[in-house]
Amino acid sequence: MPSVLVFGATGFLGAPLIRAIVDAHPDWKVTAYTRGSQHPEELKHDLGVDRVEVGDFTEFEKIKALCKEHDIAVNAGNSFTDSPISAIVAGLRARPSESKGKLLHISGAGNFLDMGVTGAFNPESKVWDDESEDDIKLVNDKMFNGPSDVVALEAGRDGSVETYVVCTPVTYGGAAIRSKSIGIGYALITGNAKPLGYVPYVGDGSAVLSTAQLMDVVPFMLKVLELAASGPAQGSVYSRWYNVETQRVTWKELATELARVMYEKGIFESPEPKSVPLEEAGQGEVKYLVAGNMLMKTNRSAKMGFKATHPSILVQIHEDLRDVAL
Ligand SMILES: NC(=O)c1ccc[n+]([C@@H]2O[C@H](COP(=O)([O-])OP(=O)(O)OC[C@H]3O[C@@H](n4cnc5c(N)ncnc54)[C@H](OP(=O)(O)O)[C@@H]3O)[C@@H](O)[C@H]2O)c1
């Protein structure tokens, strides 16, 4: 039975994934890696894992040694920088060749933003297809999740690690499972709006954002993990990249619902979002998230059984953010 080490174990995606693993495979040995905001024994009990390891993503040697010990590592902790992925890959590469290390890396569809600046839907924008290995080969370190993804993909390409990637867009739906974290997607969008004093969209707000419901994503991550555990990886690493999506929404639709939420919570005085030029849509690269289009296809994941069955973010955002301090 495989041993599985999960980074981001207490997080929005990591915690429900662990619960799904433990439920489906009580015989797998699961280790949770955490900075330890919760007492390790309590967390062990909460998640139902065999072991808890306390540490930071910057502790290279510690992560490397742990990954060397485990059959499968899951990076559900950080996909924006090369930590902890470099240490994870170093540890998996150090495993004996007869039991090659396996990696499930969670990436983000921020990679696929068209960097549009008008806020309008662009029918000419590239639609990133998980069935096209040529598309996945274009993933590079200039993309949102690129610095982490290229390390994971390179280890799969050179054959030293059996890499699998699940690429999720803005993920929502935590209220249904009483998630402690709202997740990075919501955190980016609400954290961008708050200092502006309004919820922005750019131009006519017809630009589209891809979104996925947590409970559509988690069973699929488990499925990919089961595939990884079932035997040697097949095909090239670029054929082991899976996009997931529940629904595309326009920025105007999303901004309208988020503005209502922030008004009801007493954060903003107006329940209406605001159409602004790019420069007033937020800080740094987040403004391109607001102004651009995020377009992808999910044919490969659909063939693997991915099915979106949960309600839209436009409905769930109210419940998801109701009891959360923003
Ligand atoms: N949520 C989304 O919309 C979304 C979309 C696309 C991709 N992703 C990717 O999916 C992954 C998980 O995202 P999420 O939304 O689940 O994030 P999250 O809720 O913020 O969880 C992040 C987890 O990482 C741990 N962590 C953070 N910094 C750490 C550090 N320096 N050292 C050790 N542990 C650390 C945190 O645990 P402790 O504080 O307990 O240590 C937490 O459990 C990320 O790579 C993210 O980029 C998320």
Side-chain angles (χ1 to χ4, degrees):
M1 288 310 123
S3 53
V4 184
L5 170 61
V6 181
F7 295 88
T10 59
F12 181 67
L13 286 162
L17 174 61
I18 288 184
R19 292 199 175 94
I21 298 170
V22 170
D23 273 1
H25 302 283
D27 52 336
W28 289 16
K29 298 281 172 229
V30 182
T31 304
Y33 190 89
T34 169
R35 277 176 296 192
S37 48
Q38 189 177 357
H39 190 281
E41 279 309 312
E42 204 184 291
L43 182 64
K44 205 169 143 184
H45 180 261
D46 259 19
L47 293 175
V49 294
D50 298 280
R51 183 173 155 195
V52 169
E53 284 290 333
V54 177
D56 193 85
F57 290 157
T58 53
E59 293 182 66
F60 189 97
E61 290 305 327
K62 178 178 194 142
I63 293 174
K64 181 179 171 188
L66 280 168
C67 288
K68 188 180 171 191
E69 259 185 69
H70 287 77
D71 300 315
I72 308 179
V74 178
N75 178 22
N78 174 28
S79 58
F80 295 115
T81 69
D82 70 351
S83 124
I85 191 69
S86 292
I88 293 173
V89 162
L92 294 174
R93 278 183 170 141
R95 287 178 58 81
S97 55
E98 64 278 10
S99 56
K100 206 182 263 187
K102 297 166 192 274
L103 168 65
L104 171 59
H105 173 71
I106 309 306
S107 179
N111 282 353
F112 303 147
L113 271 176
D114 68 1
M115 304 305 269
V117 296
T118 66
F121 179 67
N122 181 357
E124 305 297 318
S125 285
K126 181 172 175 57
V127 185
W128 293 77
D129 183 354
D130 63 356
E131 264 197 322
S132 162
E133 295 191 30
D134 287 342
D135 276 9
I136 307 310
K137 282 179 190 165
L138 294 174
V139 171
N140 65 72
D141 63 5
K142 302 289 179 289
M143 293 174 156
F144 268 100
N145 303 272
S148 170
D149 293 352
V150 292
V151 177
L153 286 171
E154 177 53 23
R157 194 200 58 76
D158 72 18
S160 56
V161 172
E162 297 188 356
T163 298
Y164 297 76
V165 181
V166 172
C167 179
T168 184
V170 167
T171 307
Y172 63 94
I177 59 156
R178 297 176 192 278
S179 170
K180 286 181 188 160
S181 164
I182 57 169
I184 285 168
Y186 270 145
L188 266 180
I189 293 170
T190 58
N192 184 56
K194 205 171 166 190
L196 292 173
Y198 52 81
V199 180
Y201 63 93
V202 175
D204 70 3
S206 59
V208 292
L209 177 74
S210 178
T211 67
Q213 212 275 4
L214 184 62
M215 296 323 290
D216 283 337
V217 177
V218 168
F220 185 74
M221 293 196 297
L222 176 64
K223 205 178 263 275
V224 175
L225 208 49
E226 287 168 339
L227 174 67
S230 68
Q234 304 297 313
S236 92
V237 67
Y238 306 107
S239 71
R240 285 182 254 124
W241 177 292
Y242 302 92
N243 293 338
V244 291
E245 178 178 72
T246 298
Q247 190 194 21
R248 287 181 195 163
V249 297
T250 69
W251 265 99
K252 185 167 182 186
E253 289 171 319
L254 182 62
T256 299
E257 298 308 324
L258 179 58
R260 282 183 193 148
V261 170
M262 294 182 97
Y263 170 74
E264 278 157 18
K265 291 173 85 71
I267 298 170
F268 292 155
E269 285 175 7
S270 166
E272 299 297 331
K274 191 169 161 186
S275 171
V276 293
L278 175 75
E279 308 72 57
E280 292 166 31
Q283 293 77 40
E285 290 182 321
V286 184
K287 58 179 176 291
Y288 295 102
L289 182 68
V290 181
N293 295 277
M294 187 190 280
L295 295 166
M296 60 183 187
K297 286 186 189 167
T298 59
N299 291 328
R300 190 183 294 283
S301 61
K303 284 183 182 155
M304 260 275 288
F306 176 76
K307 206 160 181 227
T309 60
H310 285 81
S312 163
I313 191 172
L314 301 176
V315 175
Q316 297 218 319
I317 193 169
H318 295 275
E319 199 188 332
D320 284 344
L321 301 182
R322 182 176 301 132
D323 301 323
V324 176
L326 296 179

